[in-house]
Amino acid sequence: MIELEHTLENRTNRVYKIASIAGDGIGKEVVPEGIRVLEAASKKFGFELRIDSFDFASCDYYVKHGRMMPEDWKSLIGGHDAIFFGAVGWPELVPDHISLWGSLIQFRREFDQYVSLRPVRLMPGVTSPLAGRGPGDIDFYVIRENTEGEYSSIGGRIFPGTERETVLQETVMTRIGVDRDPEICLRSRSNPTTETADLRDEVKWHLHLDAVLGRAGGGNGKVLPGYHLGQISH
């Protein structure tokens, strides 16, 4: 966080364009509050925000227009520095597979947002559900693949509506995709400890990932063995 603050302090003339999309459900509640936080940060660190709000990528929009986003959605938000997206999904109005694949997945693919970066940190002034833990005791990043794997959308359905109906879904991991996630992970800290976790036992993918982490681990970072996700979720 110190490095981030130092960087922002040196960018006093920077202007950031943000595409704000509240979406559905809790997104309508958290986005306005999040914008308040961003505005407070801009005043403290001396940068300017220009926030444009959009009503698409929501189930309300789908009910009105029969689609989650307009045809020119990418040109509307593609020139912004970031998308501040709240949440998507309201099954009572629109099936999840339509709302998700018609909005969030489109953002990820069209802009190649290949990393889902999730800081996990105990903050000052917030009581932790874990006894005896305070700020600094828990501080790590979760870096998850965001465009490949389950999001490859490779597969299909044959013989629909019959007893022979079969659905196939393939998981696709490219070498580029497997290379860039751990590289970002190892660059995220000056002395990182890196662990990997996966839902599948994909030998070839793990062999290549181990090779990537082995090369990167030659620096300051420490690379620990990989886990099946079930091992670290209990």
Side-chain angles (χ1 to χ4, degrees):
M1 189 62 183
I2 295 177
E3 294 178 357
L4 175 59
E5 292 175 353
H6 179 70
T7 300
L8 291 176
E9 288 174 352
N10 290 334
R11 293 182 175 181
T12 55
N13 296 322
R14 291 300 303 272
V15 177
Y16 297 94
K17 290 184 61 180
I18 308 296
S20 173
I21 305 174
D24 299 308
I26 197 172
K28 299 177 181 179
E29 301 177 25
V30 300
V31 166
E33 299 305 312
I35 289 177
R36 289 179 56 193
V37 174
L38 290 174
E39 290 173 342
S42 69
K43 293 177 181 178
K44 180 174 182 180
F45 298 114
F47 60 90
E48 182 181 348
L49 290 174
R50 295 180 181 174
I51 300 176
D52 298 318
S53 297
F54 300 90
D55 65 346
F56 54 76
S58 72
C59 292
D60 288 336
Y61 186 92
Y62 183 91
V63 170
K64 293 179 181 179
H65 302 279
R67 56 188 304 153
M68 290 299 294
M69 300 191 292
E71 292 185 4
D72 60 345
W73 70 269
K74 189 174 181 180
S75 64
L76 291 174
I77 64 176
H80 291 74
D81 296 299
I83 304 170
F84 186 20
F85 190 34
V88 63
W90 199 260
E92 294 180 357
L93 294 178
V94 182
D96 281 341
H97 70 280
I98 293 178
S99 61
L100 180 63
W101 287 87
S103 58
L104 180 60
I105 302 300
Q106 294 295 318
F107 297 154
R108 292 176 180 175
R109 288 187 168 184
E110 293 297 321
F111 299 124
D112 196 19
Q113 298 175 335
Y114 60 89
V115 163
S116 174
L117 179 60
R118 304 177 179 184
V120 180
R121 184 178 300 156
L122 294 182
M123 304 299 291
V126 179
T127 302
S128 170
L130 301 177
R133 300 292 183 179
D137 292 332
I138 297 178
D139 188 2
F140 62 93
Y141 291 118
V142 176
I143 296 178
R144 192 197 72 180
E145 172 57 49
N146 217 32
T147 57
E148 296 186 4
E150 285 78 6
Y151 302 109
S152 304
S153 188
I154 303 298
R157 177 182 297 178
I158 59 174
F159 310 120
T162 72
E163 294 182 352
R164 299 173 63 195
E165 183 171 11
T166 304
V167 176
L168 299 176
Q169 180 178 355
E170 297 290 341
T171 293
V172 177
M173 304 296 297
T174 67
R175 177 162 187 158
I176 291 176
V178 176
D179 278 352
R180 60 190 180 181
D181 284 351
E183 292 290 348
I184 287 181
C185 181
L186 293 167
R187 292 203 310 267
S188 65
R189 294 293 179 88
S190 57
N191 292 288
T193 296
T194 302
E195 299 181 5
T196 62
D198 196 78
L199 285 170
R200 300 165 305 278
D201 297 320
E202 295 181 357
V203 177
K204 293 182 179 179
W205 180 79
H206 279 294
L207 287 174
H208 179 61
L209 178 60
D210 290 343
V212 173
L213 291 173
R215 294 197 304 270
N220 295 325
K222 179 181 179 182
V223 179
L224 300 182
Y227 297 94
H228 189 278
L229 191 59
Q231 291 177 279
I232 60 174
S233 61
H234 295 290

